[in-house]
Amino acid sequence: MFDLRQLRYFITVAETGNVGRAAEILHISQSPLSRQIMQLEEQLGVTLFERARQRVHLNAEGRAFLVEARALIANARRVEEFGRSLASGAVGRLAIGYVEGAVHAGLVADMLRQFRRDRPQLHLSLMSLRSAAQLESLRQRTLDLGLVYSPPPADYPEIASMLVRREPLVLAIPEGDALTAVADIGPHHLDGRPWITVVRQPADTNRGQFLAACIEAGFVPDIAYETADPLTSLGLVSAGLGLATVQESLRSAAPPGVVFRDLPWFKRSVAIYLAWRRQDERAVIGDLRRAVGQ
């Protein structure tokens, strides 16, 4: 099988009609160039040139072959440019996992805007996954980046992470509840009240962490309802069924009938981490880490 170098030699000789002139353009000696052209003809089993003293002319077969050779070289250049674009992150595919808190915090939307502005030809695949599933998918190389609640240990050999957002929890109260008239809500105001919490499966730890934080703060909640996501919890609060704590960015997404109050003494927050493979040195990954971390 001939190589691209032989095709470039052939095209240059065909365009100049002179082996000596072609050799000068190609910066090689005339004899090696002549041998390369003859080897090409032998490999193809066809004569491409009519030779007369110092001049060479394409025959009918040579003219037909020149059209295909030029097309192949042009395609090779496009493939090379595409490969360079892949390396720079200008084109290609990127799979990103996220937890719902990253959406509520605006991180996913910010990421999409960044990509569309800087890399409009890059195809993004977004997947809603639990933190543990994202870390495993990163390890298995089915994800390129993850926005997670629970980062891997700092000494984890394969995956690194960094904190990109931390939001305090705010108290969601039904409109018309007596608590809406309280200026500074303390733990004693919340003790024994009906509560709505989010339960994430499988291996949910959210309920236990919430209970522990409440007890540490000085009150015991009566958990009356459990939901799969904080927006559903806010819907139940709006219906007057109980209280809930949600991340601060959900204030603007709440349905009518919900009033929010800050709880500066409640030691719990929502933290979002960006996770990636330590060995992934692609420029697009580095650029995204810097953009999200700003």
Side-chain angles (χ1 to χ4, degrees):
M1 179 64 67
F2 55 82
D3 58 29
L4 294 179
R5 181 184 59 178
Q6 286 179 309
L7 289 184
R8 292 190 180 96
Y9 288 173
F10 162 74
I11 292 170
T12 305
V13 173
E15 291 175 344
T16 60
N18 185 288
V19 176
R21 177 59 184 149
E24 292 177 4
I25 294 173
L26 295 167
H27 303 290
I28 63 172
S29 299
Q30 184 172 336
S31 295
L33 177 58
S34 297
R35 285 196 298 271
Q36 287 291 331
I37 297 300
M38 287 188 289
Q39 287 176 8
L40 176 62
E41 291 177 319
E42 290 174 2
Q43 288 173 314
L44 296 174
V46 64
T47 300
L48 301 173
F49 292 98
E50 295 176 1
R51 293 166 172 83
R53 296 185 180 180
Q54 298 299 318
R55 303 288 300 177
V56 293
H57 302 278
L58 289 172
N59 57 23
E61 293 79 7
R63 288 191 293 272
F65 187 72
L66 178 61
V67 174
E68 297 299 324
R70 283 171 170 163
L72 183 56
I73 291 297
N75 283 332
R77 290 195 184 102
R78 282 194 291 270
V79 170
E80 182 179 8
E81 291 171 0
F82 181 74
R84 295 184 186 279
S85 296
L86 285 174
S88 68
V91 299
R93 292 176 177 269
L94 208 63
I96 300 174
Y98 64 90
V99 291
E100 75 269 11
V103 177
H104 303 324
L107 290 171
V108 174
D110 290 345
M111 185 182 297
L112 291 176
R113 279 193 292 269
Q114 176 83 13
F115 272 106
R116 290 284 74 82
R117 182 179 69 247
D118 299 341
R119 294 178 171 83
Q121 295 181 330
L122 190 69
H123 177 78
L124 295 182
S125 176
L126 301 175
M127 287 171 275
S128 176
L129 296 168
R130 303 296 186 204
S131 297
Q134 288 190 54
L135 297 180
E136 178 60 20
S137 295
L138 282 168
R139 196 179 67 82
Q140 296 292 337
R141 296 179 178 272
T142 55
L143 273 187
D144 298 293
L145 288 166
L147 289 164
V148 301
Y149 291 126
S150 304
D155 59 350
Y156 194 81
E158 297 179 74
I159 302 172
S161 66
M162 67 177 181
L163 178 67
V164 294
R165 185 69 56 83
R166 185 181 293 278
E167 290 190 29
L169 294 180
V170 293
L171 178 66
I173 310 168
E175 192 175 56
D177 190 287
L179 280 177
T180 60
V182 178
D184 295 314
I185 296 175
H188 63 284
H189 294 108
L190 307 179
D191 194 44
R193 292 290 304 268
W195 280 79
I196 303 156
T197 63
V198 174
V199 175
R200 300 185 181 96
Q201 298 295 340
D204 177 64
T205 59
N206 189 60
R207 189 177 191 273
Q209 292 172 350
F210 172 71
L211 283 171
C214 293
I215 292 171
E216 182 181 358
F219 70 97
V220 178
D222 175 15
I223 298 178
Y225 301 94
E226 294 179 337
T227 68
D229 62 85
L231 286 175
T232 302
S233 295
L234 288 175
L236 297 186
V237 172
S238 176
L241 298 177
L243 310 175
T245 55
V246 296
Q247 66 190 91
E248 187 175 36
S249 55
L250 280 172
R251 288 179 186 262
S252 59
V258 179
V259 177
F260 291 96
R261 291 289 186 269
D262 294 330
L263 297 178
W265 47 265
F266 192 57
K267 297 179 181 179
R268 200 156 183 255
S269 61
V270 173
I272 307 294
Y273 296 81
L274 181 68
W276 66 92
R277 287 187 298 278
R278 292 185 184 275
Q279 301 304 315
D280 194 340
E281 298 180 352
R282 287 176 293 172
V284 63
I285 300 297
D287 290 348
L288 185 60
R289 282 163 44 193
R290 286 186 288 272
V292 175
Q294 290 176 356

